[in-house]
Amino acid sequence: METEEDDSVSELLRDRFRLSTISIAESQAKQNDMEVSETVVACIGDLAFKYTEQLAKDLGLFAQHAGRKSVNMEDVILAAHRNEHLAASLRSFGDELKAKEPQSERKRKKGPRKEEKLKASTSVVHIED
């Protein structure tokens, strides 16, 4: 049952993504006084979706390789490494986001010291019969 729901959600997302891509392509064509056939626009939508799927998989693998469960900005920049202009733009965007982010006052909680961990692991409790 869940797989059917997942499939329908995936289909809905795919359709919405394609519609957005088509809308952007048509808007850009209109802005540049160009005409683009429906077949080409549909192809652009499909290619953009397939590219985005692959990008999402790559980002997940980058995060997993780094031992994280979530994707961060460094993963996105790494995914764009073949396109120097895009990578530079992403770095600038990331720097802008960091500058806008309020500094966290929260400090890391200190865990038990190594000596305390060692004592806890070497302690022996004797139980009499």
Side-chain angles (χ1 to χ4, degrees), residues 18-64:
R18 286 180 178 151
L19 285 173
S20 296
T21 305
I22 289 168
S23 175
I24 292 168
E26 288 174 346
S27 172
Q28 288 298 307
K30 186 177 180 180
Q31 221 175 22
N32 294 307
D33 294 326
M34 297 176 69
E35 288 185 31
V36 183
S37 73
E38 288 183 29
T39 309
V40 171
V41 172
C43 184
I44 290 170
D46 287 339
L47 287 172
F49 185 78
K50 288 176 183 175
Y51 174 79
T52 304
E53 276 185 319
Q54 187 60 51
L55 179 62
K57 289 175 187 174
D58 289 347
L59 291 173
L61 289 173
F62 293 158
Q64 182 182 13

Side-chain angles (χ1 to χ4, degrees), residues 13 24-26 44-45 63 66 68 85 87 91 97 100 102 119 122:
L13 288 173
I24 292 168
E26 288 174 346
I44 290 170
R68 290 180 274 104
H85 178 70
R91 277 190 207 95
L97 288 177
K100 290 179 183 176
K119 285 179 186 176
T122 58

